[in-house]
Amino acid sequence: MRTPFVATLALALALVPAPALSAQAPAQLSREVRQYVAVDAPVVALTNVRVVDGTGAPPAEGQTIIIENGRIGAVGPAAQVRPPAGAHTMDLSGHTVIPGLVGMHNHTFYTTTARSVQLSYSAPRLYLASGVTTIRTTGAASPYAELNLKRAIEQGIEPGPRMFVTGPYLNGPSGSTHMMQVNAPDDARRVVAYWAEEGASWFKAYAQISRAELKAAIEEAHRRGLKVTGHLCSVSFREAVALGIDNLEHGLFTNSDWDPDKQPDVCPAGMRGTLANVEVSSPEVQQTIREMIENGVAMTSTLAVYELTVPDRPPLEQRVLDAMSPETREEYLRTREQFSRNAATSVMPQVFRKAQEFELAFARAGGLLAAGVDPTGIGGALPGFGDQRNYELLIEAGFTPVEAIQVMSLNGAKILGIDGELGSIEKGKKADLVVIRGNPIATPAEIRNVTVVFKDGIGYDSAKLIEAVKGQVGVR
């Protein structure tokens, strides 16, 4: 569906080209965007701050970061890096700065069990407020809504993260009305070619696609210099790797490699029960990991959305409930209660632990792991807020806090091919920075304490962005 905002912008913006990493000077921002701007000086100095730079390096205390014309001009110890004359200086004692997060499965639509809504208003504000400065949408319910939103953000008309838009879902026979059913290889080639011309930079295959259609989609995308990821089932991970896929979504939850009843091009029934008994150290699982790494296939962690299927998880947060419309909140709490009632028979606690173990094993073996929220399912993993929850869940899985930040920032930038510009706090890169009150390395829950988010050197007030969407999630 389209929101009134998107419908209004469609004709004005549909044909306006814009580079994926275009920068914005403050003078270009609309009144709507400017109401959220906290810092817009050409030179900014962040002083006395703890820096976790996203590269895997340990935290550095007592640092100064200089932002000059949207880029990082310098970063280093306060004794060595002095604020330039006339700089807007912010003393950030007691704060931590991390890179802008790169959300690699971050839809702008949202679902509960009873609704599916295009969140062209609330999603971009929540992502930006939470420190997510770049997203890949990873499957579009309304591709034109996302392309128009992307252009509106680039032109300073609307606030939000920079966007890499994925074309419509490519699926086999399915009852999903927002997915493209590709019934032959030529269907897949035609859809990829069309949406590539319209501006999509990634494509996503879904659970019922066949090997022949997936192969055709990959070949057409690669011919155009674009990439393909997948939430798979009918095609297993090893099969997809052999076909040349670039990225795989959700990890263990969607891999049918190890199901004894797997038939070619068919998603096996009851797969979750099988996954509960998978041994990550087994030769079969290690073979999947090895083939992914040898072929350069990255994986996206989406623990926050799958946690919702584990009874009595995650802990309820008032800010999440406040952001939802009343009807949306009721739907989510009702479904959550149903999961709780069925806790005695649920296999999801075991499957969830296996998935965490699989992701850690993949990364420890040298695999490139990124993360995203996937704000779908029963509705409890909200844009941005769910990305922050991923941080805690990665740590629960066994990653160190520094590793988790790298997964959520630089690793995503590497998959998108923009790590020369974004993803870490290094001199010369775009100034995408997240200011956090406290120390999320020592206390992971403090990842929620975002105060200011810099994107292209412009600082946005997190609290104002969150306040603007209260009661809006599930509506617009």
Side-chain angles (χ1 to χ4, degrees), residues 340-351:
S340 182
R341 288 198 299 270
N342 295 326
T345 58
S346 175
V347 300
M348 284 310 298
Q350 298 97 305
V351 173

Side-chain angles (χ1 to χ4, degrees), residues 207 209-211 232-239 254-269 271 274:
I209 198 169
S210 74
R211 290 166 295 169
L232 300 178
C233 183
S234 54
V235 178
S236 77
F237 276 23
R238 291 182 63 194
E239 289 172 335
T254 60
N255 188 12
S256 55
D257 271 329
W258 316 303
D259 194 298
D261 299 323
K262 176 72 172 70
Q263 299 297 314
D265 297 328
V266 176
C267 180
M271 194 170 76
T274 299

Side-chain angles (χ1 to χ4, degrees), residues 160-205:
R162 62 179 58 77
M163 294 175 62
F164 287 76
V165 174
T166 305
Y169 290 79
L170 305 176
N171 203 5
S174 166
S176 298
T177 57
H178 66 276
M179 295 187 185
M180 174 65 191
Q181 296 184 23
V182 290
N183 298 309
D186 283 348
D187 285 347
R189 293 190 187 94
R190 173 177 51 81
V191 174
V192 169
Y194 176 81
W195 285 104
E197 293 292 332
E198 291 298 283
S201 54
W202 278 76
F203 293 89
K204 179 182 177 181

Side-chain angles (χ1 to χ4, degrees), residues 219-235:
E219 289 175 346
E220 183 64 26
H222 287 180
R223 189 175 72 82
R224 295 170 174 272
L226 306 177
K227 295 185 178 182
V228 178
T229 190
H231 169 155
L232 300 178
C233 183
S234 54
V235 178

Side-chain angles (χ1 to χ4, degrees), residues 124-373:
R125 286 163 175 78
L126 275 179
Y127 283 131
L128 190 60
S130 303
V132 183
T133 57
T134 302
I135 65 171
R136 184 188 66 184
T137 59
T138 317
S142 182
Y144 281 124
E146 291 192 344
L147 288 168
N148 288 329
L149 176 60
K150 173 183 186 293
R151 292 165 185 147
I153 291 170
E154 289 172 349
Q155 294 175 12
I157 298 170
E158 288 290 317
R162 62 179 58 77
M163 294 175 62
F164 287 76
V165 174
T166 305
Y169 290 79
L170 305 176
N171 203 5
S174 166
S176 298
T177 57
H178 66 276
M179 295 187 185
M180 174 65 191
Q181 296 184 23
V182 290
N183 298 309
D186 283 348
D187 285 347
R189 293 190 187 94
R190 173 177 51 81
V191 174
V192 169
Y194 176 81
W195 285 104
E197 293 292 332
E198 291 298 283
S201 54
W202 278 76
F203 293 89
K204 179 182 177 181
Y206 204 65
Q208 304 296 336
I209 198 169
S210 74
R211 290 166 295 169
E213 282 74 47
L214 178 57
K215 181 183 181 198
I218 292 169
E219 289 175 346
E220 183 64 26
H222 287 180
R223 189 175 72 82
R224 295 170 174 272
L226 306 177
K227 295 185 178 182
V228 178
T229 190
H231 169 155
L232 300 178
C233 183
S234 54
V235 178
S236 77
F237 276 23
R238 291 182 63 194
E239 289 172 335
V241 169
L243 294 174
I245 203 164
D246 303 287
N247 191 183
L248 288 163
E249 304 300 307
H250 307 302
L252 178 136
F253 297 108
T254 60
N255 188 12
S256 55
D257 271 329
W258 316 303
D259 194 298
D261 299 323
K262 176 72 172 70
Q263 299 297 314
D265 297 328
V266 176
C267 180
M271 194 170 76
R272 284 190 175 176
T274 299
L275 292 175
N277 298 313
V278 164
E279 290 299 330
V280 173
S281 61
S282 69
E284 296 81 6
V285 175
Q286 292 301 308
Q287 180 70 15
T288 298
I289 290 174
R290 185 162 53 251
E291 291 182 13
M292 290 176 67
I293 294 171
E294 288 174 352
N295 288 274
V297 178
M299 188 165 72
T300 310
S301 170
T302 59
L303 293 172
V305 71
Y306 281 96
E307 184 186 27
L308 301 176
T309 63
V310 179
D312 301 316
R313 292 187 62 161
L316 284 174
E317 287 189 70
Q318 192 60 48
R319 65 172 188 163
V320 170
L321 301 178
D322 289 344
M324 297 175 177
S325 72
E327 297 85 355
T328 304
R329 183 165 56 249
E330 290 172 10
E331 291 164 9
Y332 166 58
L333 292 175
R334 184 165 58 246
T335 307
R336 181 185 166 100
E337 176 59 29
Q338 290 171 355
F339 280 123
S340 182
R341 288 198 299 270
N342 295 326
T345 58
S346 175
V347 300
M348 284 310 298
Q350 298 97 305
V351 173
F352 191 78
R353 286 194 294 272
K354 295 286 185 181
Q356 290 178 307
E357 185 182 351
F358 179 69
E359 292 179 10
L360 184 65
F362 175 75
R364 289 285 185 263
L368 183 58
L369 182 71
V373 52

